[in-house]
């Protein structure tokens, strides 16, 4: 098969949701369709979230186990599908943000009873930064949920994107009858059954067949809804979807395997194949013959005796081959990999080749950090993965002065792995660690001790946000840095960061220094 055909048949995406909306269940059903697994209940990685936060060791253990489920590849109707898993636990949200940089599209899962929830909103903002095409699955129609038109309105208002229903529910909960599919122009009738595929019928909605299938009341309601939908929403426009401006919406019940096949069938047809990736030097197209890729995730081995990791590389162009030399651009050295892994179904297996859109796992002993570029020859630097302002901050103190070096090394490596962010206060030189959740502080302390034999202590520091600052007005920028000297820090790339200690202080700074832009992510 030609390189171009390999690329055209690839779909690399992530499923994102607020915890409990049904991401794991949907993933599992998609894998069932691909024949990648044969029984429900096989995808367990997201059950992590059910553990109490204090039981993070358990979480980390499960994270270790979940390497195999970090990427799930399978074949379906001549398509090669790669689902990138995102951690369910919100304390690992930073991991999710980075994973989103490696996908070509996303599917958002919502609980029909809950609508748009906080975590979805945050992840959506990340998608919008990159105009990632989005498809939405409204789940749990077998239970009473909100009015579907309300959900549509909420999606548009909350996520700031136009929506177009491609399927529409006929009642819900106890009386749920099925969905009308606008994409295929047929109706799927619901039979509550957790494994089999739904029954699909061709139907003329204007004939009395509709009454015969779903009853008078539902038939009248469906006709009324359809009229409204055609009146209110523009026809589905694939180009707008690909530009990230329009999100098609499907309804169903993942648990009952209802509406999932329709979602998947539409998805493979309209979702983008691997898209070009922006490097600092130029835009890299997937069909260029030379291999290029970048590391978007590093998974540490939980066994303290083997400090080895797996670096997850997204192939951006060309073909990656086993035992061929590629350049690690940051180190300027050639490297070859004798046992790269691909992730098919839930197994890790050694691969000989991978194409743009695929993810390969490279065993690593500390050579890689997140954002690193690998390339066949050309000096390319894929644009750094964005860092987002952490939500929690602590001073990091050395608790064992004899082990300062170990601590330094451990902290640097954990930061390279993307566990948390390090800021060095320029005024007092103290190290500040910023995280998305409380859990990371415990994880860092534990891993420093067990993997690096170093001890740290946390000291509270009251901070609100980390803001990356920029301005065209050099003088004002310098003036600002002088005025805020106690709150100025450098991130690990040496960029200037203002650590605001309250929303009020940040607001004042914004109004006093008009020419300075305050960014909540490092990519602007
Ligand atoms: P997540 O990964 O997004 O966090 O959600 P997950 O799939 O784990 O689903 C959360 C809960 O919602 C699970 O129940 C799951 O069975 C249920 N669920 C998923 N899809 C549907 C659906 O279409 N209808 C209904 N009624 N429930 C659904 P649980 O009791 O928390 O877990 P389990 O014991 O069933 O595994």
């Amino acid at each position: 098969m030609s390189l171009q055909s390999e690329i055209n048949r690839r779909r690399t995406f992530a499923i994102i949701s607020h915890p409990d909306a049904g991401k794991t269940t949907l993933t599992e059903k998609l894998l069932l369709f691909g024949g990648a697994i044969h029984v429900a209940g096989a995808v367990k990685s997201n059950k992590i979230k059910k553990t109490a936060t204090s039981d993070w060791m358990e979480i980390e253990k499960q994270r270790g186990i979940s390497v195999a489920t970090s990427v799930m590849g399978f074949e379906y109707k001549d398509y090669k599908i790669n689902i990138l898993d995102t951690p369910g636990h919100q304390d690992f949200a930073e991991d999710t943000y980075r994973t989103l940089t490696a996908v070509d599209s996303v599917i958002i899962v919502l609980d029909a009873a809950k609508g748009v929830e906080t975590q979805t909103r945050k992840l959506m903002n990340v998608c919008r930064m990159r105009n990632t095409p989005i498809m939405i699955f409204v789940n749990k129609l077998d239970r009473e949920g909100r009015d579907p038109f309300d959900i549509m309105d909420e999606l548009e208002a909350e996520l700031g994107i136009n929506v177009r229903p491609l399927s529409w529910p006929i009642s819900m909960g106890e009386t749920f009858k099925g969905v009308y599919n606008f994409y295929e122009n047929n109706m799927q009738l619901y039979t509550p059954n957790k494994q089999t595929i739904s029954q699909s019928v061709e139907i003329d909605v204007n004939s009395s067949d509709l009454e015969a299938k779903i009853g008078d009341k539902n038939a009248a309601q469906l006709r009324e809804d359809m009229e409204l939908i055609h009146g209110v929403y523009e026809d589905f426009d694939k180009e707008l979807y690909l530009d990230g401006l329009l999100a098609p919406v499907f309804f169903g019940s993942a648990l009952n395997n209802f509406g999932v096949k329709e979602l998947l069938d539409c998805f493979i047809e309209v979702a983008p194949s691997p898209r070009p990736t922006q490097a600092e030097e130029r835009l890299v197209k997937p069909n260029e013959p030379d291999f290029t890729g970048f590391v978007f995730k590093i998974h540490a081995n939980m066994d303290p005796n083997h400090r080895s990791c797996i670096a997850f590389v997204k192939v951006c162009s060309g073909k990656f081959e086993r035992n061929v030399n590629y350049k690690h651009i940051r180190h300027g050295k050639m490297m070859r990999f004798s046992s790269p892994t691909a992730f098919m179904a839930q197994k890790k297996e050694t691969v000989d080749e991978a194409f743009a859109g695929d993810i390969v796992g490279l065993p690593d002993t500390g050579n890689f950090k997140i954002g690193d570029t690998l390339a066949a020859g050309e000096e390319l630097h894929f644009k750094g993965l964005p860092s987002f302002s952490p939500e929690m901050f602590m001073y990091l103190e050395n608790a064992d002065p004899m082990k300062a070096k170990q601590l330094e090394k451990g902290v640097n490596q954990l930061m390279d792995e993307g566990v948390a962010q390090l800021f060095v206060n320029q005024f007092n030189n103290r190290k500040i660690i910023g995280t998305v959740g409380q859990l990371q502080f415990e994880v860092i302390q534990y891993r420093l001790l067990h993997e690096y034999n170093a001890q740290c202590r946390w000291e509270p520091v009251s901070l609100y946000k980390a803001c990356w600052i920029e301005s065209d007005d050099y003088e004002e920028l310098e003036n600002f840095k002088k005025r805020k000297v106690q709150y100025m820090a450098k991130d690990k790339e040496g960029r200037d960061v203002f650590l605001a200690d309250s929303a009020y202080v940040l607001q004042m700074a914004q109004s006093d220094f008009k020419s300075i832009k305050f960014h909540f992510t490092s990519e602007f």
Side-chain angles (χ1 to χ4, degrees):
M1 204 181 287
S2 71
L3 177 62
Q4 189 62 53
S5 331
E6 287 287 2
I7 293 164
N8 291 348
R9 73 186 197 95
R10 274 168 169 73
R11 299 286 180 271
T12 302
F13 72 106
I15 305 181
I16 56 179
S17 75
H18 190 84
D20 266 351
K23 177 162 66 77
T24 313
T25 315
L26 180 66
T27 306
E28 190 170 278
K29 298 298 146 131
L30 293 174
L31 293 178
L32 279 171
F33 281 115
I37 54 167
H38 300 286
V39 284
V43 183
K44 283 280 177 236
S45 67
N46 285 296
K47 295 299 165 202
I48 287 168
K49 66 182 184 296
K50 308 239 156 80
T51 327
T53 30
S54 59
D55 198 6
W56 64 269
M57 247 317 278
E58 195 46 37
I59 293 176
E60 273 295 294
K61 244 193 263 159
Q62 295 188 35
R63 247 161 74 87
I65 296 163
S66 75
V67 176
T69 55
S70 291
V71 180
M72 288 159 282
F74 65 92
E75 299 268 342
Y76 177 73
K77 291 190 176 172
D78 293 337
Y79 287 87
K80 165 82 192 296
I81 296 178
N82 296 312
I83 306 181
L84 273 53
D85 191 28
T86 54
H89 201 294
Q90 63 174 23
D91 283 10
F92 293 109
E94 188 84 21
D95 255 16
T96 305
Y97 300 155
R98 283 191 295 258
T99 299
L100 292 180
T101 63
V103 299
D104 299 301
S105 69
V106 303
I107 294 181
I108 294 180
V109 186
L110 295 185
D111 181 333
K114 302 207 171 125
V116 179
E117 297 174 85
T118 38
Q119 193 70 2
T120 319
R121 215 170 286 131
K122 278 194 197 163
L123 296 174
M124 181 68 199
N125 286 336
V126 181
C127 294
R128 276 230 304 278
M129 283 171 64
R130 294 174 174 259
N131 302 324
T132 311
I134 289 159
M135 205 173 261
I136 297 169
F137 184 73
V138 182
N139 190 27
K140 305 199 187 182
L141 266 287
D142 58 318
R143 288 203 194 151
E144 281 316 316
R146 307 236 314 262
D147 178 76
F149 282 110
D150 281 356
I151 296 180
M152 292 291 132
D153 289 348
E154 185 175 284
L155 278 167
E156 293 205 322
E158 293 264 354
L159 303 183
I161 189 168
N162 289 329
V163 293
R164 172 64 167 101
L166 284 188
S167 79
W168 196 253
I170 304 163
S171 190
M172 59 176 72
E174 298 262 296
T175 56
F176 183 49
K177 284 281 176 292
V179 294
Y180 187 83
N181 187 326
F182 295 107
Y183 191 68
E184 294 172 2
N185 276 323
N186 59 17
M187 196 164 73
Q188 267 89 44
L189 293 178
Y190 173 67
T191 33
N193 180 333
K194 294 183 182 156
Q195 295 306 319
T196 56
I197 297 159
S198 51
Q199 181 198 355
S200 144
V201 289
E202 299 297 323
I203 198 152
D204 173 1
V205 285
N206 296 316
S207 79
S208 59
D209 280 359
L210 192 63
E211 272 79 2
K213 290 278 186 218
I214 59 176
D216 293 358
K217 191 167 153 249
N218 288 325
Q221 183 71 48
L222 178 63
R223 286 194 193 105
E224 194 182 306
D225 286 356
M226 282 174 78
E227 200 171 321
L228 198 56
I229 288 165
H230 288 308
V232 172
Y233 300 103
E234 300 281 325
D235 280 349
F236 174 62
D237 180 333
K238 186 173 159 182
E239 292 310 313
L240 289 178
Y241 158 70
L242 290 175
D243 289 341
L245 298 171
L246 177 75
V249 182
F250 285 86
F251 289 82
S253 165
L255 186 64
N256 293 289
N257 205 356
F258 186 81
V260 177
K261 185 171 182 296
E262 292 69 32
L263 174 79
L264 181 59
D265 284 342
C266 174
F267 178 79
I268 53 172
E269 268 182 41
V270 304
S273 53
R275 307 200 296 172
T277 316
Q278 187 68 52
E280 270 161 30
E281 294 77 5
R282 62 186 183 85
L283 194 67
V284 178
K285 297 206 193 78
N287 59 0
E288 295 179 16
D290 286 345
F291 159 75
T292 62
F294 69 89
V295 177
F296 68 95
K297 176 181 175 119
I298 292 179
H299 213 303
N301 188 336
M302 282 313 289
D303 179 352
N305 298 321
H306 300 94
R307 206 189 297 136
S308 66
C309 306
I310 292 188
F312 288 74
V313 174
K314 159 102 187 256
V315 181
C316 298
S317 69
K319 182 160 100 169
F320 170 91
E321 287 176 282
R322 189 160 84 97
N323 282 329
V324 167
N325 276 308
Y326 295 119
K327 192 164 185 185
H328 183 310
I329 304 286
R330 184 170 53 89
H331 285 169
K333 69 174 183 191
M334 299 304 278
M335 294 178 80
R336 55 205 273 270
F337 305 92
S338 57
S339 47
T341 46
F343 304 87
M344 281 305 280
Q346 290 193 283
K347 293 196 295 285
K348 274 198 305 165
E349 50 192 41
T350 303
V351 275
D352 292 323
E353 54 181 33
F355 297 91
D358 285 339
I359 311 297
V360 284
L362 304 178
D364 177 44
T365 48
N367 282 310
F368 286 117
K369 69 180 193 180
I370 284 185
D372 275 347
T373 303
L374 268 183
E378 192 180 342
E379 286 281 324
L380 284 171
H381 299 79
F382 283 110
K383 284 216 154 175
L385 304 195
S387 298
F388 295 84
S389 174
E391 320 256 319
M392 295 181 180
F393 301 85
M394 290 275 192
Y395 278 127
L396 175 91
E397 293 296 330
N398 185 0
D400 181 354
M402 303 300 287
K403 300 280 167 57
K405 272 208 175 113
Q406 284 90 330
L407 184 74
E408 172 107 12
K409 181 171 179 204
V411 169
N412 284 337
Q413 288 198 353
L414 292 183
M415 296 308 125
D416 285 352
E417 230 179 77
V419 176
Q421 291 180 58
L422 172 70
F423 302 99
V424 180
N425 184 312
Q426 296 301 287
F427 183 65
N428 56 19
N429 235 3
R430 290 179 81 178
K431 289 190 165 82
I432 297 172
I433 301 285
T435 69
V436 182
Q438 182 60 36
L439 211 57
Q440 267 91 342
F441 293 113
E442 293 172 42
V443 171
I444 293 169
Q445 199 165 29
Y446 180 91
R447 288 190 55 188
L448 284 173
L449 184 63
H450 288 84
E451 294 172 36
Y452 299 90
N453 198 18
Q455 286 189 50
C456 79
R457 203 175 50 233
W458 300 115
E459 273 184 31
V461 49
S462 167
L463 292 174
Y464 165 68
K465 284 264 189 249
C467 311
W468 284 264
I469 54 172
E470 68 159 348
S471 176
D472 294 335
D473 185 340
Y474 177 78
E475 235 168 73
E476 184 159 279
L477 196 61
E478 288 306 306
N479 186 15
F480 176 80
K481 287 201 249 176
K482 245 185 244 148
R483 282 262 299 273
K484 298 286 179 191
V485 64
Q486 292 180 345
Y487 294 95
M488 289 308 301
K490 295 266 185 206
D491 73 1
K492 69 177 192 304
E493 312 296 341
R495 289 172 294 215
D496 284 324
V497 176
F498 169 52
L499 300 169
D501 56 352
S502 73
Y504 176 73
V505 163
L506 178 59
Q507 223 176 357
M508 290 305 288
Q510 282 165 327
S511 78
D512 290 351
F513 294 86
K514 293 257 181 327
S515 83
I516 298 181
K517 291 197 189 106
F518 297 81
H519 301 280
F520 297 122
T521 87
S522 65
E523 194 181 85
F524 40 81

